[in-house]
Amino acid sequence: MNEKIIRLLNELPKVNAPINFESKLIENINLPKKSDETWIDKIFLPKLIPAAALTVTAIIIIFILAGTSNDYEDPFQLKPKLRAERIESAIDQNSFSKTDLTGSANLDDREQKILSDNNANALIISDEYRGDSDNISSVLTQVSTIQRISVRTINYTPDQKIVSAGGLNYKIVKLGKDELKRLQMLRGKLSGSVENPQKN
Amino acid sequence: MQFLANFYLFKETFPDKQSKIKLLDKDLSILSDEELVVEFQQNNTLKAFEILVQRYKNPLTNFVYRFLGDYEACTDVVQEAMIRFYRNKDSYKSIAKFSTWIYTIAGNLARTEYRRRRRRDFFSINSYGEEHENFEIPDESFRPDIITDSGIKDKIIQNALLKISPAYRQAVILRDIQELSYEEIAEIMGIEVGTVKSKINRGRNQLQKLLKHIYKE
């Protein structure tokens, strides 16, 4: 079979150069040298294509790797910020409302002044109970500022989240019914003692 | 060396200038390719260059035409090969055969032209003109694809050649049309002799499939 192909190829007529080949050649030799390559051909040389592809791949990889870092604010990478309203929603779940927590809505002018003097815009609930609840009012009268109300929390767990608002830290706690009752009782006593300190 | 010996011989024998010139030409033409190149390199003898052009213009044109399939393009490629030989004559080292060297230049230029033609979009001639008239290519008497390729069979074979892979095509043309040796083809293409044989075999197999309806006749 190959022999037939070879024979067919051998039988092809020979193609000759044109008659004016030499004269045209001398003309072309005497012409000044010119470059056929355009600037596009110079940039997209076949030899440069693999290097260019490698460079583009490296840039893409760097971009992807750099995008995973959290050094800069990237809305697609950062976790959503915890808003102060989360405190409200957490507090609404059988816990404190922000209003209750700060006490600002239930406090009178004196209480407000005390809070503002100490740059406190919230009453921090700590996990440690200090003092007897009945003596809260006397404690409050003794200290000039209301910075802390200690409430025993039964439901406290070590991994509960801490949130920040207004420069202060809040610990979100869940209170049971009994605790809530106790807290309301304390609040009542507090509000009563603040209004009439001499009564107690 | 033979040339120099002849030169001194006729200088004493033929004092007449005209006779000297005629014999010088004759002496140059009997020189081998390598000797002519050396003469051209050392003495810048244009006649030596012309003789080499005469010897290789037709084989190179045949080779490049069979590779590209376009006569205009093939004459440009062969012209460019000769110009490069003229301008870079000192880059030829007499270690290799001159035919290998000039075929390598022509082969590289042909492959470059082939790649360039593939990259570019060639618009059909029918798209010119508002009324979609057909524009005929002017008839040139030296177009071998019109004069010599009178048979449809030759055109079919040429078309089949253009359909096979360029690497196989070059090897098949150099072996079966230009009748070069495997070693020469290996030097021209820059590959091993075994690879040359493999490419030739594969090229022939591809041609066999494309031309099976021809050699059944």
Side-chain angles (χ1 to χ4, degrees):
Chain A
M1 282 299 178
N2 273 344
E3 291 165 358
K4 289 184 182 175
I5 293 293
I6 295 168
R7 185 172 52 80
L8 281 173
L9 291 171
N10 278 332
E11 286 172 1
L12 280 175
K14 298 293 181 193
V15 175
N16 293 330
I19 292 176
N20 62 344
F21 184 87
E22 282 90 343
S23 55
K24 206 175 171 189
L25 178 62
I26 299 298
E27 268 180 47
N28 288 334
I29 286 171
N30 293 329
L31 283 172
K33 245 174 136 179
K34 61 174 178 176
S35 174
D36 292 330
E37 285 180 345
T38 61
W39 64 272
I40 293 174
D41 290 330
K42 284 176 187 170
I43 291 170
F44 293 103
L45 280 172
K47 289 179 187 176
L48 292 179
I49 289 171
L54 197 63
T55 307
V56 168
T57 306
I59 289 169
I60 290 169
I61 289 170
I62 289 168
F63 180 74
I64 290 168
L65 288 175
T68 56
S69 70
N70 293 325
D71 293 334
Y72 59 91
E73 191 172 313
D74 181 1
F76 296 108
Q77 295 292 337
L78 293 178
K79 294 176 184 176
K81 288 182 183 177
L82 295 172
R83 295 177 295 172
E85 285 80 9
R86 280 200 61 181
I87 299 168
E88 282 183 4
S89 60
I91 289 167
D92 286 341
Q93 297 165 13
N94 297 322
S95 180
F96 302 106
S97 67
K98 188 177 181 182
T99 308
D100 288 339
L101 192 64
T102 60
S104 58
N106 296 332
L107 298 176
D108 58 8
D109 293 338
R110 179 170 168 260
E111 291 160 356
Q112 288 280 6
K113 187 175 181 303
I114 292 167
L115 279 176
S116 62
D117 286 344
N118 290 277
N119 292 324
N121 58 2
L123 298 176
I124 300 171
I125 300 172
S126 108
D127 58 341
E128 188 182 346
Y129 179 70
R130 291 180 183 171
D132 189 10
S133 60
D134 293 333
N135 294 328
I136 284 293
S137 58
S138 59
V139 170
L140 288 174
T141 53
Q142 285 169 17
V143 298
S144 60
T145 61
I146 303 171
Q147 285 182 334
R148 194 177 292 270
I149 287 181
S150 299
V151 176
R152 187 172 53 190
T153 59
I154 297 170
N155 295 330
Y156 171 70
T157 55
D159 60 348
Q160 273 189 331
K161 292 181 183 175
I162 296 174
V163 299
S164 301
L168 297 175
N169 293 331
Y170 296 85
K171 192 175 290 181
I172 300 174
V173 296
K174 255 188 172 180
L175 297 178
K177 286 182 183 176
D178 293 337
E179 293 223 5
L180 198 59
K181 274 185 188 173
R182 191 178 175 79
L183 185 66
Q184 283 170 354
M185 182 190 69
L186 287 171
R187 276 198 201 122
K189 282 192 177 179
L190 177 64
S191 57
S193 65
V194 169
E195 280 173 6
N196 299 308
Q198 292 179 356
K199 237 186 187 177
N200 296 326
Chain B
M1 290 302 291
Q2 181 64 33
F3 166 70
L4 287 171
N6 291 338
F7 176 74
Y8 288 117
L9 183 63
F10 83 78
K11 195 180 173 186
E12 293 174 2
T13 315
F14 303 98
D16 177 53
K17 192 177 179 182
Q18 286 294 328
S19 306
K20 273 187 198 175
I21 290 169
K22 283 182 184 173
L23 195 58
L24 192 60
D25 287 349
K26 193 178 177 184
D27 281 342
L28 278 177
S29 62
I30 62 173
L31 293 179
S32 68
D33 297 339
E34 289 73 27
E35 287 167 343
L36 283 168
V37 176
V38 169
E39 172 63 23
F40 180 44
Q41 283 174 332
Q42 291 176 351
N43 301 321
N44 212 23
T45 310
L46 201 60
K47 190 64 187 170
F49 173 73
E50 289 173 6
I51 293 169
L52 286 168
V53 168
Q54 278 284 339
R55 287 182 187 178
Y56 283 95
K57 66 176 183 180
N58 291 333
L60 287 180
T61 302
N62 190 50
F63 160 57
V64 177
Y65 174 75
R66 293 299 171 197
F67 186 81
L68 289 176
D70 182 85
Y71 188 70
E72 293 284 341
C74 94
T75 51
D76 291 339
V77 166
V78 177
Q79 286 268 331
E80 182 62 27
M82 294 302 183
I83 291 168
R84 290 198 181 196
F85 160 42
Y86 180 86
R87 289 188 175 144
N88 304 307
K89 61 182 186 295
D90 294 326
S91 64
Y92 168 74
K93 305 298 174 193
S94 55
I95 299 168
K97 283 179 70 175
F98 173 76
S99 62
T100 307
W101 188 64
I102 198 68
Y103 265 102
T104 305
I105 296 172
N108 290 339
L109 288 170
R111 273 201 304 274
T112 304
E113 177 63 21
Y114 172 77
R115 279 195 293 265
R116 192 183 302 173
R117 287 156 75 87
R118 273 188 73 184
R119 274 203 305 267
R120 288 181 188 174
D121 292 324
F122 284 95
F123 296 104
S124 167
I125 197 81
N126 290 333
S127 66
Y128 291 161
E130 293 173 6
E131 297 175 354
H132 300 287
E133 293 174 3
N134 285 336
F135 290 83
E136 287 189 2
I137 298 168
D139 188 20
E140 295 178 22
S141 59
F142 307 117
R143 289 187 64 100
D145 54 342
I146 294 173
I147 294 174
T148 62
D149 198 12
S150 55
I152 296 173
K153 195 169 82 172
D154 295 337
K155 257 193 175 168
I156 293 171
I157 297 170
Q158 177 61 40
N159 289 337
L161 264 174
L162 294 175
K163 283 179 185 172
I164 66 175
S165 164
Y168 302 161
R169 189 190 318 156
Q170 185 177 1
V172 166
I173 291 170
L174 288 171
R175 177 65 185 169
D176 296 333
I177 298 178
Q178 302 299 112
E179 295 175 345
L180 299 182
S181 67
Y182 289 117
E183 289 75 21
E184 279 179 306
I185 298 170
E187 274 192 61
I188 290 166
M189 294 181 70
I191 52 179
E192 299 292 324
V193 172
T195 313
V196 168
K197 291 180 181 175
S198 166
K199 286 185 187 293
I200 290 170
N201 201 31
R202 287 182 188 180
R204 285 174 184 166
N205 286 339
Q206 286 187 2
L207 280 174
Q208 191 178 316
K209 287 176 191 171
L210 292 167
L211 297 172
K212 55 187 174 186
H213 58 285
I214 288 186
Y215 55 72
K216 274 183 182 172
E217 293 169 6

